[in-house]
Amino acid sequence: MYLSVVVPCMNEEGSIPSLVARLADAIGPYKDRAEIILVDDGSTDATWAAIKAAQQICPQVRGVRMSINRGHQIALTAGLEAALGARIFMLDADLQDPPELLADMMTMMDRGYDVVYGRRAERQGETLFKRATAHMFYRVLNAMSDVDIPRDTGDFRLVSRTALDAVLAMPEKARFIRGMFAWVGFRQIGIEYSRAAREVGETKYPFRKMLRFAIDAMTAFSTKPLKLATRLSFVSLGVAALMMIYVFRSLILYQTAPGWASVVLAISAFSGVQLLTLGILGEYIGRLYVEAKNRPLYFVSEDTRAAESAPPVLLKKRA
Ligand code: UDP
Ligand code: MG
């Protein structure tokens, strides 16, 4: 197998027909040695039926169905682990990432690159809020993290088997895949493209999920937030020292307790700092807990390839 295409799909029944049609064109030159893995991430609409229908039209399609919704990054991981190709192309189901860029990415890889990622030059059809938060996210992440994660990139990329095996060797449960690819190294390069608007359906990343994703990314690639806690405690100690001078001065000058406004102020400021630092600690302890449980990342309930060749493996578990 030369080329594997991996697409995580959650409630994408409307996107799949045009997605598969455009992918079938894009993989044209390699179609005898290519597979298109569509991972159904616990969809509640007819996505699985759409995948099976697509398979009738395009024999390269392989459906992998997750036992339940586990989120974009885990669904993508499931697809990457199923992929057999020497080169692996990943993109979103909603055609925001143009499959046609595959040709250019292949050319770059021929020149010896292991990771060719798409860099979003512009984003169409996305709200100002989404663009602004995404812009901030990549900048804050880079300021905080110890790895240089390319800005404005998604998971849209072509990677070599070498780079993929390196990423799959990383056992962590909270997976921030674009960061993991940045971390493993090898020769990497970006190609600019303009990110189109979603063709059908709506975003599967509401603010809540975006925030979770951002916290995962920060804590996975940086211990700076932990140090932030230490720094904040220095600041609060400094303020407390100043407050003490003020309190003593008031005691001497007015010989009465100087009202409780300052006390309330101090208590609320310091409890804020304490809660913040506790929260940061909690994030890391929570992650340690999840890693310590060491549960399988996901279960596959159906795999159309397994049904054809080997006896059906209904509950394939990740080691
Ligand atoms: N997705 C998924 N599981 C989820 C959420 C999203 O597999 O729980 C898929 C989704 O079907 C799409 C990709 O991840 O192919 C990116 O999601 P989306 O386009 O909604 O994100 P956005 O482009 O708005 O950031
Ligand atoms: Mg999208």
Side-chain angles (χ1 to χ4, degrees), residues 217-281:
M218 303 282 178
T219 49
F221 283 91
S222 170
T223 48
K224 278 194 191 141
L226 283 174
K227 290 165 198 152
L228 177 80
T230 322
R231 269 183 219 159
L232 276 176
S233 64
F234 279 128
V235 172
S236 73
L237 280 177
V239 175
L242 291 178
M243 291 293 287
M244 220 147 85
I245 297 172
Y246 168 71
V247 167
F248 276 123
R249 184 179 154 270
S250 314
L251 270 179
I252 293 160
L253 288 187
Y254 312 116
Q255 287 159 346
T256 51
W260 46 272
S262 56
V263 178
V264 172
L265 201 89
I267 289 175
S268 56
F270 297 140
S271 53
V273 171
Q274 282 176 10
L275 284 178
L276 178 69
T277 48
L278 271 179
I280 293 172
L281 283 177

XYZ file of all heavy atoms in Angstrom, residues 217-281:
486
model
N -3.845 21.070 24.685
C -2.638 21.402 23.928
C -1.601 22.065 24.830
O -0.433 21.704 24.826
C -2.993 22.318 22.760
N -2.052 23.020 25.633
C -1.127 23.734 26.523
C -0.479 22.776 27.510
O 0.733 22.765 27.683
C -1.860 24.779 27.372
C -2.607 25.795 26.594
S -1.497 27.017 25.937
C -2.660 28.019 25.046
N -1.298 21.981 28.180
C -0.750 21.141 29.238
C 0.073 19.994 28.659
O 0.969 19.484 29.314
C -1.861 20.601 30.154
O -2.889 20.047 29.349
C -2.438 21.702 31.010
N -0.219 19.592 27.409
C 0.542 18.491 26.825
C 1.934 18.935 26.423
O 2.859 18.137 26.396
C -0.192 17.931 25.608
N 2.084 20.216 26.082
C 3.350 20.627 25.513
C 4.108 21.632 26.355
O 5.098 22.184 25.922
C 3.138 21.137 24.088
C 2.951 19.981 23.154
C 1.692 19.493 22.881
C 4.048 19.322 22.645
C 1.527 18.378 22.086
C 3.895 18.214 21.844
C 2.633 17.738 21.565
N 3.632 21.887 27.552
C 4.325 22.880 28.351
C 4.096 22.639 29.832
O 3.026 22.222 30.256
C 3.788 24.258 27.976
O 4.268 25.207 28.872
N 5.129 22.909 30.610
C 4.932 22.905 32.054
C 4.961 24.345 32.554
O 4.969 24.592 33.745
C 6.033 22.077 32.761
O 7.292 22.472 32.236
C 5.826 20.597 32.544
N 4.950 25.287 31.618
C 5.001 26.691 32.026
C 3.813 27.109 32.885
O 3.998 27.903 33.807
C 5.155 27.609 30.815
C 6.612 27.675 30.385
C 6.895 28.791 29.424
C 8.307 28.596 28.866
N 8.400 28.918 27.456
N 2.597 26.616 32.616
C 1.489 26.996 33.510
C 1.780 26.681 34.974
O 1.403 27.441 35.862
C 0.323 26.173 32.988
C 0.614 26.014 31.545
C 2.111 25.855 31.463
N 2.510 25.578 35.212
C 2.865 25.247 36.595
C 3.779 26.318 37.182
O 3.655 26.695 38.343
C 3.583 23.896 36.652
C 2.701 22.660 36.529
C 3.555 21.411 36.451
C 1.748 22.569 37.694
N 4.675 26.810 36.346
C 5.589 27.852 36.810
C 4.843 29.162 36.998
O 5.180 29.954 37.872
C 6.745 28.009 35.816
C 7.651 26.788 35.874
C 8.576 26.720 34.675
C 9.126 25.314 34.547
N 9.454 24.967 33.164
N 3.815 29.353 36.154
C 2.978 30.548 36.285
C 2.396 30.603 37.693
O 2.330 31.660 38.329
C 1.844 30.488 35.250
C 0.829 31.615 35.286
C 1.401 32.837 34.590
C -0.463 31.200 34.605
N 1.999 29.431 38.208
C 1.448 29.370 39.557
C 2.464 29.897 40.569
O 2.135 30.698 41.441
C 1.064 27.929 39.887
N 3.715 29.478 40.405
C 4.753 29.942 41.319
C 4.931 31.450 41.215
O 5.009 32.152 42.213
C 6.092 29.262 40.973
O 5.814 27.922 40.592
C 7.035 29.292 42.138
N 4.960 31.940 39.971
C 5.150 33.375 39.772
C 4.008 34.166 40.393
O 4.228 35.172 41.060
C 5.224 33.690 38.284
C 6.652 33.639 37.826
C 6.755 34.014 36.377
N 7.740 33.150 35.763
C 7.829 32.899 34.477
N 6.961 33.435 33.661
N 8.760 32.125 34.013
N 2.787 33.683 40.161
C 1.628 34.379 40.723
C 1.718 34.424 42.238
O 1.355 35.419 42.866
C 0.338 33.660 40.316
C -0.208 34.040 38.950
C -1.418 33.194 38.614
C -0.598 35.515 38.950
N 2.221 33.360 42.832
C 2.284 33.343 44.293
C 3.304 34.373 44.776
O 3.106 35.002 45.805
C 2.599 31.939 44.807
O 3.873 31.555 44.380
N 4.376 34.597 44.015
C 5.327 35.661 44.370
C 4.646 37.023 44.334
O 4.780 37.827 45.244
C 6.527 35.671 43.411
C 7.567 34.648 43.762
C 8.042 33.747 42.819
C 8.080 34.592 45.060
C 8.997 32.803 43.147
C 9.036 33.655 45.396
C 9.490 32.759 44.434
N 3.905 37.249 43.258
C 3.205 38.528 43.117
C 2.251 38.728 44.297
O 2.210 39.795 44.925
C 2.417 38.567 41.790
C 1.529 39.807 41.727
C 3.384 38.545 40.611
N 1.509 37.672 44.627
C 0.515 37.833 45.689
C 1.194 38.039 47.038
O 0.721 38.802 47.877
C -0.435 36.636 45.720
O 0.225 35.521 46.229
N 2.367 37.415 47.229
C 3.109 37.649 48.472
C 3.585 39.101 48.538
O 3.521 39.740 49.592
C 4.318 36.702 48.563
C 3.982 35.284 49.018
C 5.228 34.410 49.013
C 3.365 35.311 50.408
N 4.014 39.616 47.409
C 4.451 41.006 47.343
C 3.320 41.951 47.711
O 3.483 42.865 48.532
N 2.160 41.697 47.125
C 0.991 42.532 47.422
C 0.624 42.411 48.896
O 0.310 43.403 49.570
C -0.191 42.123 46.521
C -1.446 42.894 46.910
C 0.142 42.381 45.059
N 0.717 41.200 49.422
C 0.376 40.981 50.833
C 1.300 41.791 51.738
O 0.865 42.384 52.730
C 0.480 39.491 51.157
N 2.587 41.868 51.378
C 3.548 42.635 52.169
C 3.166 44.109 52.177
O 3.170 44.766 53.228
C 4.953 42.449 51.604
N 2.794 44.633 51.008
C 2.373 46.029 50.910
C 1.124 46.276 51.757
O 1.012 47.277 52.466
C 2.093 46.403 49.452
C 3.323 46.457 48.542
C 2.918 46.792 47.115
C 4.317 47.483 49.074
N 0.193 45.324 51.673
C -1.047 45.433 52.445
C -0.729 45.521 53.936
O -1.368 46.257 54.693
C -1.957 44.219 52.199
C -2.551 44.136 50.825
S -3.737 45.444 50.495
C -5.121 44.905 51.485
N 0.281 44.743 54.358
C 0.616 44.698 55.771
C 1.096 46.071 56.245
O 0.672 46.563 57.290
C 1.701 43.655 56.016
C 1.474 42.871 57.280
S 2.079 41.228 57.057
C 3.777 41.503 57.467
N 1.953 46.694 55.435
C 2.438 48.039 55.768
C 1.255 48.987 55.911
O 1.132 49.735 56.879
C 3.392 48.556 54.666
C 4.614 47.648 54.605
C 3.787 50.005 54.914
C 5.538 47.940 53.443
N 0.349 48.891 54.957
C -0.829 49.760 54.956
C -1.666 49.545 56.221
O -2.101 50.484 56.878
C -1.660 49.466 53.702
C -3.030 50.088 53.718
C -3.165 51.475 53.585
C -4.162 49.312 53.870
C -4.414 52.057 53.596
C -5.416 49.882 53.888
C -5.539 51.262 53.747
O -6.774 51.832 53.776
N -1.843 48.283 56.572
C -2.669 47.955 57.741
C -2.019 48.507 59.022
O -2.687 49.145 59.839
C -2.870 46.433 57.854
C -3.441 46.048 59.221
C -3.791 45.946 56.747
N -0.702 48.307 59.144
C -0.018 48.800 60.347
C -0.082 50.324 60.431
O -0.344 50.907 61.470
C 1.451 48.342 60.363
C 1.594 46.954 60.928
C 2.195 45.937 60.197
C 1.108 46.664 62.220
C 2.310 44.661 60.717
C 1.235 45.391 62.743
C 1.826 44.383 61.991
N 0.107 50.963 59.285
C 0.068 52.417 59.221
C -1.320 52.904 59.671
O -1.439 53.818 60.504
C 0.355 52.856 57.788
C 0.431 54.356 57.615
C 0.746 54.712 56.156
N 0.224 56.042 55.834
C -0.995 56.270 55.355
N -1.817 55.254 55.122
N -1.389 57.513 55.095
N -2.341 52.280 59.171
C -3.710 52.669 59.539
C -3.935 52.465 61.030
O -4.549 53.301 61.698
C -4.729 51.844 58.765
O -4.377 51.795 57.424
N -3.415 51.350 61.552
C -3.597 51.048 62.974
C -2.995 52.153 63.841
O -3.608 52.628 64.794
C -2.940 49.710 63.315
C -3.817 48.471 63.184
C -3.031 47.229 63.538
C -5.051 48.602 64.066
N -1.766 52.553 63.437
C -1.073 53.565 64.238
C -1.736 54.925 64.097
O -2.000 55.621 65.069
C 0.416 53.638 63.822
C 1.109 52.330 64.206
C 1.110 54.821 64.492
C 2.386 52.081 63.455
N -2.060 55.301 62.854
C -2.611 56.635 62.602
C -4.030 56.794 63.146
O -4.369 57.789 63.747
C -2.592 56.947 61.107
C -1.208 57.223 60.515
C -1.350 57.679 59.071
C -0.472 58.282 61.327
N -4.883 55.802 62.898
C -6.304 55.964 63.260
C -6.675 55.214 64.533
O -7.746 55.380 65.060
C -7.201 55.500 62.113
C -6.777 56.056 60.775
C -6.330 55.218 59.757
C -6.791 57.426 60.547
C -5.926 55.727 58.541
C -6.392 57.950 59.331
C -5.961 57.098 58.332
O -5.553 57.604 57.132
N -5.781 54.349 64.961
C -6.005 53.527 66.152
C -7.311 52.730 66.116
O -7.851 52.356 67.133
C -5.966 54.402 67.416
C -4.545 54.824 67.715
C -4.464 56.052 68.590
O -5.465 56.756 68.783
N -3.312 56.321 69.134
N -7.852 52.594 64.942
C -9.035 51.743 64.802
C -8.795 50.793 63.640
O -7.898 51.006 62.836
C -10.300 52.554 64.471
O -9.986 53.383 63.356
C -10.752 53.403 65.645
N -9.627 49.810 63.618
C -9.567 48.929 62.450
C -10.023 49.739 61.242
O -11.075 50.358 61.285
C -10.469 47.721 62.645
N -9.219 49.822 60.172
C -9.521 50.715 59.057
C -10.599 50.164 58.120
O -10.384 50.066 56.932
C -8.169 50.845 58.355
C -7.456 49.583 58.674
C -7.990 49.077 59.966
N -11.708 49.763 58.627
C -12.798 49.307 57.750
C -12.461 47.980 57.116
O -11.296 47.586 57.069
N -13.453 47.291 56.668
C -13.121 45.948 56.165
C -13.013 45.880 54.650
O -12.766 44.831 54.090
C -14.086 44.912 56.710
C -15.527 45.309 56.629
C -16.225 45.996 57.546
C -16.414 45.046 55.540
N -17.497 46.200 57.133
C -17.647 45.611 55.894
C -16.290 44.376 54.326
C -18.757 45.543 55.072
C -17.393 44.306 53.508
C -18.611 44.892 53.877
N -13.142 47.017 53.982
C -13.048 46.992 52.513
C -11.740 46.371 52.045
O -11.722 45.485 51.183
C -13.180 48.402 51.969
N -10.639 46.833 52.683
C -9.345 46.320 52.247
C -9.220 44.829 52.542
O -8.616 44.083 51.786
C -8.226 47.094 52.938
O -8.402 47.009 54.333
N -9.828 44.421 53.664
C -9.755 42.992 54.029
C -10.469 42.153 52.983
O -9.938 41.150 52.475
C -10.394 42.754 55.418
C -10.349 41.273 55.758
C -9.657 43.566 56.459
N -11.684 42.600 52.646
C -12.454 41.865 51.640
C -11.679 41.823 50.333
O -11.569 40.782 49.680
C -13.832 42.537 51.442
C -14.557 41.892 50.260
C -14.649 42.420 52.710
N -11.081 42.963 50.004
C -10.315 43.050 48.767
C -9.176 42.037 48.770
O -8.988 41.278 47.820
C -9.741 44.464 48.647
C -9.369 44.882 47.243
C -10.568 45.513 46.570
C -8.184 45.834 47.274
N -8.436 42.029 49.896
C -7.283 41.133 49.981
C -7.736 39.675 49.898
O -7.179 38.878 49.147
C -6.537 41.386 51.277
N -8.766 39.353 50.657
C -9.224 37.965 50.680
C -9.639 37.517 49.287
O -9.244 36.447 48.814
C -10.392 37.777 51.673
C -9.857 37.896 53.104
C -11.059 36.411 51.468
C -10.940 37.841 54.152
N -10.396 38.390 48.602
C -10.879 37.944 47.292
C -9.725 37.843 46.303
O -9.661 36.890 45.516
C -11.978 38.862 46.778
O -11.495 40.180 46.738
N -8.775 38.782 46.364
C -7.655 38.715 45.430
C -6.846 37.447 45.657
O -6.534 36.709 44.718
C -6.764 39.941 45.592
N -6.557 37.166 46.928
C -5.697 36.004 47.190
C -6.429 34.687 46.975
O -5.837 33.719 46.531
C -5.107 36.083 48.594
C -4.212 37.286 48.739
C -4.205 38.048 49.894
C -3.401 37.663 47.685
C -3.395 39.168 49.989
C -2.591 38.780 47.773
C -2.587 39.545 48.934
N -7.722 34.663 47.282
C -8.408 33.392 47.032
C -8.513 33.168 45.531
O -8.480 32.026 45.075
C -9.768 33.340 47.725
O -10.520 34.461 47.361
N -8.593 34.245 44.761
C -8.579 34.091 43.309
C -7.291 33.458 42.839
O -7.297 32.499 42.069
N -6.181 33.985 43.347
C -4.880 33.442 42.953
C -4.764 31.982 43.387
O -4.310 31.119 42.643
C -3.734 34.276 43.564
C -2.397 33.595 43.349
C -3.722 35.655 42.949
N -5.249 31.706 44.598
C -5.167 30.323 45.096
C -5.988 29.366 44.247
O -5.534 28.281 43.897
C -5.649 30.260 46.536
C -4.607 30.763 47.502
C -5.105 30.801 48.922
O -6.178 30.283 49.214
N -4.354 31.411 49.792
N -7.200 29.798 43.915
C -8.043 28.927 43.095
C -7.412 28.707 41.726
O -7.428 27.598 41.197
C -9.434 29.539 42.934
C -10.314 29.401 44.169
C -11.652 30.090 43.937
C -10.541 27.939 44.511
N -6.839 29.751 41.178
C -6.211 29.621 39.868
C -5.067 28.604 39.912
O -4.979 27.694 39.088
C -5.688 30.978 39.402
C -4.962 30.952 38.056
C -5.946 30.656 36.933
C -4.241 32.255 37.794
N -4.206 28.747 40.918
C -3.059 27.830 40.992
C -3.531 26.407 41.292
O -3.021 25.448 40.741
C -2.053 28.280 42.067
O -2.768 28.577 43.258
C -1.320 29.524 41.631
N -4.560 26.292 42.134
C -5.116 24.961 42.390
C -5.656 24.353 41.106
O -5.472 23.167 40.832
C -6.263 25.063 43.402
C -5.877 24.952 44.861
C -7.130 25.096 45.727
C -5.228 23.601 45.128
N -6.338 25.199 40.320
C -6.903 24.725 39.053
C -5.818 24.225 38.120
O -5.961 23.181 37.482
N -4.719 24.971 38.051
C -3.614 24.557 37.182
C -3.047 23.222 37.649
O -2.859 22.292 36.864
C -2.515 25.639 37.154
C -3.065 26.894 36.468
C -1.283 25.141 36.438
C -2.155 28.099 36.536
N -2.838 23.112 38.963
C -2.363 21.827 39.509
C -3.338 20.714 39.151
O -2.940 19.624 38.755
C -2.239 21.919 41.035
C -1.027 22.667 41.554
C -1.074 22.752 43.067
C 0.241 21.940 41.110
